[in-house]
Amino acid sequence: ANLGFGALRLAIAPKTESVRIGLASSDSDNAAGEISARAPSERALARYAPVMRALAAGGARLIVLPEEVARREPDGRSQFLAREQAEARDSKADLVIGFRDRGTDATRNIALFFPAAGGAPGLYTKRRLIPGAESDELSPGNGTFIRPDRTGVQICKDMDFPTAVLAD
C-alpha cells in the first residue's frame, strides 16, 4: 500500500524546475586542524576557482563551497568582492562561499551568496554556535538570508532549527 501510494503521489505531483547544484570540497582545507592555519581568501579561492568553473561548465547553476573555507580579513574586501562577483557572473552560476570573517568588532562564521545575475552579495551569519568549539571565539548572527528563488542559506548547526528561517 505504501509503495502504491508513493507511486501515485509522484505521478500526480506538480512538475517543478530542477536546479543542478555543484558542491566543492577539498581534503586539504582541514589538514592543519586549525582555523588560524587556513589560507587567506585569495589563496583558498584561487585553489577552488578551477573546480567552480568545471562545475559550472557541467551545468551547475548553484555552486556551494565549504563552511569556513578561508579567512576574510578587514583589509582588501572590496577587491575580493569584485573578484567573486565576476566569478559568479562569468560562470553564470550563483556562488555560496563560507568564511571565517574577522571583522573590526567580532569574528563570525558567514556565508556570502554571489548571484550570477550580478549585484551585491547576500550575507548570512551562523546563528547557532557549537558550545566550546565555536561559542568561545565567534559571535552569532541574528537573521536569515532567503535567496530570490525563495530558498534559504544556513550553516551547519543552524540546519537543526529549520523553523528559525520561517520565524523571521
Side-chain angles (χ1 to χ4, degrees):
N2 283 341
L3 182 61
F5 181 71
L8 176 64
R9 291 281 309 230
L10 288 173
I12 63 172
K15 302 298 181 213
T16 59
E17 184 180 334
S18 64
V19 175
R20 184 171 284 212
I21 299 172
L23 302 175
S25 182
S26 170
D27 291 337
S28 64
D29 285 338
N30 294 319
E34 296 287 332
I35 294 296
S36 61
R38 289 191 185 177
S41 59
E42 297 79 21
R43 198 166 13 143
L45 294 174
R47 191 174 60 234
Y48 275 97
V51 175
M52 291 189 291
R53 289 186 197 114
L55 289 168
R61 292 297 152 247
L62 171 63
I63 299 171
V64 181
L65 271 62
E67 173 184 7
E68 295 186 316
V69 70
R71 292 191 314 260
R72 199 173 81 127
E73 303 289 345
D75 57 331
R77 288 188 180 196
S78 60
Q79 301 92 327
F80 156 76
L81 290 175
R83 187 175 55 249
E84 295 314 308
Q85 286 171 311
E87 185 78 40
R89 187 180 56 252
D90 295 346
S91 68
K92 297 178 180 57
D94 295 337
L95 303 177
V96 177
I97 306 174
F99 294 94
R100 167 79 45 121
D101 187 53
R102 298 181 196 279
T104 55
D105 63 333
T107 300
R108 295 178 173 84
N109 183 346
I110 67 167
L112 288 174
F113 168 74
F114 295 90
L123 169 69
Y124 176 76
T125 304
K126 185 174 182 179
R127 298 168 71 174
R128 308 272 197 240
L129 302 176
I130 298 172
E134 295 175 319
S135 60
D136 294 343
E137 55 188 287
L138 296 176
S139 296
N142 60 4
T144 59
F145 178 74
I146 306 296
R147 295 175 11 149
D149 67 359
R150 302 294 302 146
T151 58
V153 173
Q154 287 190 311
I155 300 172
C156 191
K157 183 76 173 155
D158 293 339
M159 289 186 270
D160 290 342
F161 302 90
T163 57
V165 173
L166 302 174
D168 290 338

